[in-house]
Amino acid sequence: MEQRYYQPEIETMPVEELKKLQSEKLVKQVKHVYEHVPYYRNLMDEKGVKPEDIKGIEDISKLPFLTKADLRDAYPYGLLAVPQKDCVRIQSTSGTTGRRVVAFYTQHDVDLWEDCCARAITAVGGTDEDVCQVAYGYGLFTGGPGLNGGSHKVGCLTLPMSSGNTERQIQFMMDLNATILCCTPSYAAYIGESLKEMGYKPEDNKLKAGIFGAEPWTEEMRQSIQNALGIKAYDIYGLTETTGPGVSFECSEQNGMHINEDHFYAEIIDPETGEVLPEGSKGELVFTSLDKEAFPLLRYRTRDICVLSRKPCACGRTHIRMSKPMGRSDDMLIIRGVNVFPSQIETVLLKEGYSPNYQIVLDRVNNNDTFDVNVEMNPDQFSDTVGGLTKQEKALAAAMKTMLGINPTVHLVSPKSIVRSEGKAVRVIDKRKLIDNNQWKG
């Protein structure tokens, strides 16, 4: 694949120049935040840090961390760094726990965000000759608006489908010859499943690439999607708190996501101590928005666990790469004292030839955790006998125990019987009502 860049002078900038640019932006940003955000000024004062103490990127560890709790405490306007009249948009998290997080954008912020998404689309081969189908949710969710804007900047014909209505998705995909699909990986898998049911083969569509994010997915799931749709599947990463999708993205190498370092400075910390860890260490990802105007976050703890690498990439981009998140503190489940990540379940299912459509159900009976996994069978996996089904369930439970270290109760269920989410898949139902069960201590 021929390497293409949306902004080559930035994406291939020598690392020393990049660090100089980051330092200049950080000094300016810290001054901006200190002068215009009382909430953050108080945090800095408590730590005894003044803007003049930050002379470059090497001083960033002097600044206090921000957490999602801070964002909720400051809701709605407490972290706004510009007059409200200068803001043109908000985006918001889904609000599944606690207060919603509301992020504000100036027009400048929107432009930079769309540039980041345009880089991601270009990196997978997108040009003004492509048809980009955006099947992320629109509205408050950042997925749709971000990729929509990036697609416009690249010059693609943009299909602003939003999520859901799969029959219509497939009709437009086939009739308008979509070449790039943007959605969650679970929805991409569902579209692939639906195409097969409708009698289509992978070669019947014109898709060449997919940009999938907003939820964890494994390499096994990537391969499954690629086979089902006849494409190359690329990861994209982002947070509403920092801007949305496009904070980082995969290139043609499919080997880690390049962070847009001219806009976001990344650190890896020990989630227990907050200590900054050296490159190559596994730890919690922390981001600083270097030039966001309305809602700039300094040292925001993402709770994503990953690794950073600055090893040269064959694509020619010099920006540091992050691994796929290896779990999150709020994805991690503690079951009978064992740490379990849903992505581990998915890995086992795909390895054993099962559908990636599953649901974990946790409960507590007589002070003991129950751990059930409902798994959809493919049509060719039906057994004629109850005994045959039981044998399959036990074999799958044994494979999961090997991966996890604890034994789940597996229930094989008929195809399409688990309720689909055409946005983010709901993988876990935890009925135990545990307090802070999934939080890191840190």
Side-chain angles (χ1 to χ4, degrees):
M1 175 177 164
E2 179 188 349
Q3 298 301 336
R4 295 192 183 94
Y5 314 100
Y6 178 69
Q7 295 170 313
E9 70 287 352
I10 297 172
E11 294 176 67
T12 63
M13 181 180 285
V15 173
E16 288 309 311
E17 288 184 32
L18 195 54
K19 288 184 176 178
K20 183 180 177 183
L21 178 64
Q22 289 176 325
S23 289
E24 291 171 358
K25 288 188 174 185
L26 179 66
V27 169
K28 183 179 178 182
Q29 186 71 290
V30 170
K31 187 172 185 291
H32 171 62
V33 169
Y34 189 85
E35 291 177 354
H36 296 102
V37 184
Y39 187 98
Y40 203 79
R41 180 164 63 245
N42 291 338
L43 290 179
M44 286 181 63
D45 287 346
E46 286 174 13
K47 200 173 180 188
V49 185
K50 299 294 183 186
E52 53 268 25
D53 296 328
I54 309 301
K55 297 178 172 60
I57 211 73
E58 66 278 1
D59 295 322
I60 197 167
S61 61
K62 296 177 182 178
L63 295 169
F65 291 113
L66 271 181
T67 67
K68 187 163 281 191
D70 289 307
L71 273 59
R72 289 182 178 135
D73 289 346
Y75 173 91
Y77 290 112
L79 289 170
L80 186 60
V82 298
Q84 184 184 322
K85 68 179 179 63
D86 293 340
C87 298
V88 297
R89 187 192 298 180
I90 68 156
Q91 304 285 165
S92 178
T93 59
S94 56
T96 50
T97 59
R99 289 180 176 178
R100 279 186 172 270
V101 171
V102 175
F104 298 84
Y105 299 73
T106 64
Q107 186 58 51
H108 175 71
D109 294 335
V110 172
D111 288 339
L112 293 185
W113 177 21
E114 292 178 348
D115 283 344
C116 289
C117 290
R119 292 179 190 177
I121 292 169
T122 305
V124 308
T127 71
D128 57 7
E129 295 182 355
D130 280 288
V131 178
C132 186
Q133 182 159 338
V134 183
Y136 286 109
Y138 280 65
L140 291 173
F141 179 58
T142 56
L147 271 302
N148 189 92
S151 177
H152 282 195
K153 288 215 168 182
V154 173
C156 302
L157 174 61
T158 307
L159 310 184
M161 303 297 295
S162 194
S163 60
N165 200 333
T166 304
E167 284 189 16
R168 186 177 65 186
Q169 297 275 2
I170 290 173
Q171 180 192 345
F172 274 70
M173 177 188 296
M174 303 303 288
D175 291 351
L176 293 168
N177 297 323
T179 55
I180 299 173
L181 175 65
C182 305
C183 62
T184 61
S186 61
Y187 194 40
Y190 184 55
I191 289 174
E193 183 182 308
S194 299
L195 282 165
K196 185 177 180 181
E197 288 179 356
M198 293 169 71
Y200 290 111
K201 297 183 177 68
E203 59 269 24
D204 291 338
N205 70 67
K206 301 294 184 184
L207 292 173
K208 64 180 183 181
I211 299 176
F212 307 130
E215 63 187 11
W217 55 308
T218 58
E219 287 301 316
E220 291 86 353
M221 189 170 185
R222 185 210 297 268
Q223 194 58 54
S224 176
I225 292 170
Q226 290 186 154
N227 292 339
L229 294 174
I231 62 172
K232 286 190 76 173
Y234 299 89
D235 211 345
I236 191 168
Y237 175 90
L239 304 131
T240 300
E241 296 93 322
T242 52
T243 189
V247 171
S248 66
F249 60 88
E250 277 190 323
C251 64
S252 57
E253 296 302 303
Q254 294 177 298
N255 185 28
M257 291 172 277
H258 290 278
I259 295 170
N260 284 308
E261 286 194 278
D262 53 321
H263 301 311
F264 309 101
Y265 183 76
E267 303 170 86
I268 294 290
I269 65 166
D270 182 321
E272 298 284 345
T273 66
E275 174 194 2
V276 178
L277 301 176
E279 179 194 324
S281 302
K282 180 179 175 180
E284 182 181 341
L285 183 61
V286 173
F287 273 122
T288 293
S289 305
L290 293 172
D291 46 17
K292 192 169 182 189
E293 294 176 336
F295 198 70
L297 301 185
L298 306 183
R299 304 198 82 200
Y300 179 68
R301 296 185 62 163
T302 68
R303 300 294 184 180
D304 280 325
I305 306 300
C306 72
V307 175
L308 298 180
S309 172
R310 203 176 282 284
K311 291 178 182 175
C313 183
C315 78
R317 289 174 179 81
T318 54
H319 293 204
I320 201 166
R321 281 173 291 160
M322 60 178 277
S323 67
K324 271 182 178 291
M326 300 168 181
R328 286 175 54 94
S329 56
D330 53 5
D331 276 351
M332 188 181 74
L333 304 164
I334 301 177
I335 307 171
R336 304 171 198 156
V338 176
N339 293 347
V340 174
F341 290 97
S343 58
Q344 294 173 300
I345 304 273
E346 182 182 289
T347 296
V348 173
L349 293 177
L350 288 164
K351 185 178 179 182
E352 298 295 323
Y354 287 85
S355 162
N357 293 307
Y358 67 96
Q359 198 161 60
I360 301 166
V361 182
L362 303 173
D363 209 341
R364 181 156 281 183
V365 178
N366 297 326
N367 294 318
N368 290 314
D369 289 341
T370 62
F371 177 21
D372 291 78
V373 184
N374 300 324
V375 180
E376 280 190 0
M377 288 182 287
N378 296 317
D380 58 352
Q381 289 172 322
F382 273 112
S383 174
D384 292 333
T385 66
V386 173
L389 193 62
T390 301
K391 186 177 178 181
Q392 288 177 262
E393 289 173 339
K394 286 183 176 179
L396 189 52
M400 289 185 187
K401 184 179 180 182
T402 299
M403 167 69 80
L404 305 172
I406 57 173
N407 204 13
T409 300
V410 171
H411 307 275
L412 291 175
V413 298
S414 58
K416 301 282 182 110
S417 60
I418 293 176
V419 176
R420 294 292 201 276
S421 166
E422 294 177 328
K424 291 191 180 184
V426 179
R427 297 299 192 200
V428 180
I429 298 176
D430 193 341
K431 302 176 181 178
R432 297 175 298 173
K433 299 180 181 176
L434 302 180
I435 299 173
D436 291 328
N437 178 62
N438 302 324
Q439 298 299 315
W440 286 94
K441 300 177 180 69

